[in-house]
Amino acid sequence: MSEISMNTASAAEGTMAQPQLREVPAVRMEAVYKHYGDFTALNEVDLKVAKGEKIVVCGPSGSGKSTLIRCINHIEKHDEGLIYVNGIELDHQRKNIDAVRRDTGMVFQSFNLFPHMTVLENCVLAPMTVSSMSRAEAKDLAMHFLTKVRIPDQAEKFPGQLSGGQQQRVAIARALCMRPKIMLFDEPTSALDPEMVKEVLETMKKLAEEGMTMLCVTHEMGFAREVADRIVFMNEGKAVEQAAPEEFFKNPKSERARTFLDQIIH
Amino acid sequence: MSHFSPTAAVNYFFNYFLMKGVLVTIGLTVAAVVGGLILGMGIALMRMSSNPVLSGFSRLYVWFFRGTPLLIQLVVIYSGLPQLGIKFSVITCALVGLILNEAAYLAEIVRSGFMAVSAGQREAAWALSLSPWVTFHRVTLPQAFRLMIPPLGNSINSLLKATSLASVISVEELMRRSDMLMQEHFQILEVYAAATAYYLILTSVWDAVQRRLEKHFGRSSAAKSRRVAARAPVAQANVEARA
Ligand SMILES: Nc1ncnc2c1ncn2[C@@H]1O[C@H](COP(=O)(O)OP(=O)(O)OP(=O)(O)O)[C@@H](O)[C@H]1O
Ligand SMILES: [Mg+2]
């Protein structure tokens, strides 16, 4: 816990003036590897995310984007290297995994709402069972966040009765009910009809404006341009480029990133 | 004796001796379902465990009990085991046989129910830092159970009828008592008409219960699966690839 960051690589970090608290990054990955059999899904990934920073992860299909963010809350177990989340080392120990998961919220491409529970039940389950809140407290909290994602009137419905965009906003509210410090998004709009993409992106922008630390895998380049502090481009398991959006879009360094951007934008 | 007497059949239907046999049939079925579900759940958990000894044992168990007739299992337990000095009462023999046999079928049903709950559900539970117990009994179990109801219902229907095999080892359930009445009065069709009516009533009542259960537990699911299947082919493919 008492590690003091000695990396000088990240220029975005604060000055040397207050190294103790300021410099514990939200996420720090060092030489992380993940293998599936012979296949290397993450290949020596280094990544540092400062508190409040917004990162967009992009790259071709199969490049390891999902694997990367799923390792951050230990839904996928990394094989080598170090991952720290808010200074907690993800060392496969139960208590550390739990601590990290309490600090992170995750939103999935396929929503993964619990279909047998109402929207409200989806939202209060974790606060009541993990944070031991009373039902009344948890309900207030849930309604607060459902209002924030602009669907308080759907609280008593089942997920199957909502549109995709509404379901994804519920998923965001459900994650927020655990008051996470970091939000992870894995292609949150890819399963949505085009007209619903906007409402979800708007919700994410609002979250970004409030200072949430965010890692988003997305191909919504408009969102990336507007919201991201940094873009991480993945290819074949490596984080090949990390740059501010303007820089990344204007002159991507690698050939692979150039062809990728060509495909995505046209 | 070349005619069928409806009055006699009705009399057998209301025969007190036969009715007690019906109660035994119901008792055997309920006990075998409860016992079979508990044991079957254990067998299914073993099968899903990563420990090769446990999953191997579970596989062997299911293979054996589904691969041999219940009739042989009952006879072996009742008349074969005493040869090794293991002796139970008649009713215990019937229960042991029915439970062991039913557990093998229910284990497969339980297992496929859990396998059909998408990996994304478990991942969402982890991401919310739900405990393993809450994940199991609030997230996966209710969804798996809903998927289990139709095959579970069919299995219980079969079991209801399969309890008649216990008559062979002289358990006085509905079938056995029908046999006894038949041998006493030789009104074969009349006795079995009454027994048949009881079996039909029992299976029909169970059918109705099953339909109620399906309706109760299925209320929120149909719309969801249709919508997600239509909207998110990519998402589903992803989930399947990981499973
Ligand atoms: N459970 C698994 N078993 C084996 N291989 C896997 C598994 N999960 C992912 N992979 C492989 O690892 C690689 C990276 O997968 P990942 O899901 O991280 O890619 P991605 O960049 O998110 O792709 P996409 O844009 O298609 O979502 C892929 O080639 C994938 O086939
Ligand atoms: Mg992915």
Side-chain angles (χ1 to χ4, degrees):
Chain A
M1 287 290 285
S2 64
E3 31 99 28
I4 293 173
S5 171
M6 293 194 289
N7 271 359
T8 48
S10 170
E13 295 270 319
T15 54
M16 298 297 284
Q18 297 168 293
Q20 313 89 337
L21 286 174
R22 272 282 168 82
E23 292 211 357
V24 174
V27 178
R28 200 177 102 202
M29 298 177 105
E30 283 178 11
V32 171
Y33 287 84
K34 168 75 191 173
H35 308 282
Y36 293 111
D38 290 340
F39 183 80
T40 306
L42 291 183
N43 191 345
E44 206 185 353
V45 172
D46 290 300
L47 176 70
K48 205 156 147 192
V49 181
K51 293 204 167 126
E53 208 180 0
K54 287 106 189 95
I55 306 284
V56 161
V57 181
C58 64
S61 181
S63 57
K65 308 179 296 290
S66 298
T67 309
L68 175 78
I69 72 161
R70 289 158 63 89
C71 278
I72 294 173
N73 63 354
H74 209 270
I75 279 183
E76 220 69 74
K77 202 163 111 184
H78 62 287
D79 296 314
E80 287 168 58
L82 297 172
I83 302 180
Y84 291 89
V85 179
N86 286 331
I88 305 160
E89 186 181 356
L90 259 185
D91 53 3
H92 313 312
Q93 279 189 57
R94 192 77 253 160
K95 77 172 185 351
N96 290 345
I97 295 171
D98 284 340
V100 165
R101 286 181 181 165
R102 271 194 292 274
D103 273 0
T104 51
M106 186 171 227
V107 175
F108 302 84
Q109 181 177 14
S110 47
F111 326 137
N112 294 346
L113 292 174
F114 306 133
H116 57 299
M117 297 180 193
T118 63
V119 164
L120 187 65
E121 287 173 80
N122 264 277
C123 292
V124 298
L125 180 62
M128 287 177 68
T129 62
V130 180
S131 322
S132 338
M133 270 187 201
S134 71
R135 176 165 274 279
E137 272 179 298
K139 192 179 163 187
D140 284 349
L141 185 71
M143 289 315 295
H144 169 76
F145 285 113
L146 286 172
T147 308
K148 191 162 160 161
V149 301
R150 293 185 292 108
I151 33 176
D153 47 325
Q154 310 287 349
E156 297 304 330
K157 288 199 182 158
F158 285 96
Q161 298 168 303
L162 305 183
S163 74
Q166 290 173 320
Q167 290 190 53
Q168 195 60 297
R169 284 184 284 144
V170 171
I172 294 172
R174 178 176 72 173
L176 292 176
C177 282
M178 289 302 285
R179 300 204 172 276
K181 301 193 179 86
I182 303 168
M183 284 289 287
L184 308 171
F185 295 85
D186 191 357
E187 304 204 34
T189 57
S190 300
L192 298 177
D193 291 342
E195 72 268 22
M196 293 169 186
V197 169
K198 195 162 158 257
E199 65 191 51
V200 171
L201 291 181
E202 288 302 325
T203 308
M204 291 167 65
K205 276 181 208 163
K206 204 154 80 179
L207 210 55
E209 280 159 19
E210 289 168 7
M212 177 67 78
T213 309
M214 292 165 62
L215 276 104
C216 315
V217 176
T218 180
H219 292 155
E220 295 293 335
M221 289 303 141
F223 174 82
R225 211 182 282 270
E226 195 176 332
V227 174
D229 296 310
R230 187 157 35 116
I231 295 200
V232 174
F233 176 73
M234 301 266 315
N235 189 37
E236 293 177 352
K238 286 183 187 266
V240 278
E241 283 191 43
Q242 301 195 23
E246 320 85 75
E247 195 185 323
F248 177 72
F249 290 122
K250 225 182 274 164
N251 37 19
K253 288 200 245 19
S254 63
E255 182 57 40
R256 192 66 193 81
R258 229 166 291 144
T259 48
F260 172 77
L261 282 174
D262 280 346
Q263 280 164 359
I264 274 247
I265 287 162
H266 299 298
Chain B
M1 281 287 231
S2 65
H3 75 292
F4 174 80
S5 157
T7 336
V10 171
N11 283 341
Y12 284 123
F13 187 82
F14 291 107
N15 183 309
Y16 191 55
F17 181 73
L18 200 66
M19 281 182 180
K20 282 216 278 200
V22 173
L23 290 183
V24 175
T25 291
I26 294 172
L28 281 178
T29 307
V30 171
V33 169
V34 173
L37 260 182
I38 294 168
L39 184 58
M41 190 80 105
I43 303 279
L45 286 176
M46 283 162 91
R47 178 73 187 272
M48 291 184 280
S49 107
S50 51
N51 182 324
V53 178
L54 292 181
S55 70
F57 172 81
S58 159
R59 225 178 262 264
L60 195 71
Y61 181 94
V62 172
W63 170 76
F64 181 82
F65 281 97
R66 294 215 310 179
T68 54
L70 174 58
L71 188 54
I72 294 191
Q73 293 162 17
L74 287 171
V75 171
V76 165
I77 293 167
Y78 180 62
S79 10
L81 289 186
Q83 202 176 321
L84 304 174
I86 306 167
K87 206 162 161 28
F88 303 117
S89 72
V90 176
I91 202 84
T92 311
C93 285
L95 279 177
V96 168
L98 286 169
I99 288 174
L100 290 180
N101 186 271
E102 186 65 6
Y105 287 90
L106 297 186
E108 284 300 283
I109 292 171
V110 169
R111 187 177 73 98
S112 47
F114 276 98
M115 303 259 293
V117 176
S118 81
Q121 291 289 306
R122 237 158 292 149
E123 289 169 2
W126 293 339
L128 287 167
S129 61
L130 300 182
S131 69
W133 169 243
V134 172
T135 303
F136 174 75
H137 95 113
R138 298 294 300 276
V139 178
T140 40
L141 181 64
Q143 294 185 64
F145 184 66
R146 207 170 51 200
L147 297 165
M148 284 180 226
I149 294 171
L152 209 59
N154 294 340
S155 182
I156 291 171
N157 175 296
S158 300
L159 177 66
L160 201 57
K161 295 170 290 181
T163 54
S164 62
L165 289 173
S167 63
V168 173
I169 61 169
S170 75
V171 176
E172 291 192 18
E173 40 66 73
L174 177 54
M175 181 68 192
R176 175 80 178 177
R177 291 210 157 181
S178 307
D179 285 347
M180 292 161 85
L181 285 176
M182 189 269 291
Q183 273 159 19
E184 202 175 317
H185 307 287
F186 291 105
Q187 291 183 303
I188 305 173
L189 280 179
E190 288 81 352
V191 173
Y192 287 131
T196 303
Y198 272 120
Y199 278 117
L200 280 173
I201 290 170
L202 291 179
T203 50
S204 305
V205 168
W206 173 246
D207 269 357
V209 171
Q210 185 184 345
R211 265 198 302 275
R212 287 284 292 270
L213 284 175
E214 275 171 34
K215 211 167 142 193
H216 177 74
F217 285 97
R219 66 193 172 198
S220 61
S221 63
K224 156 95 182 178
S225 44
R226 232 181 298 123
R227 177 168 276 146
V228 168
R231 250 165 237 274
V234 192
Q236 293 231 320
N238 256 3
V239 165
E240 274 153 29
R242 269 177 215 292

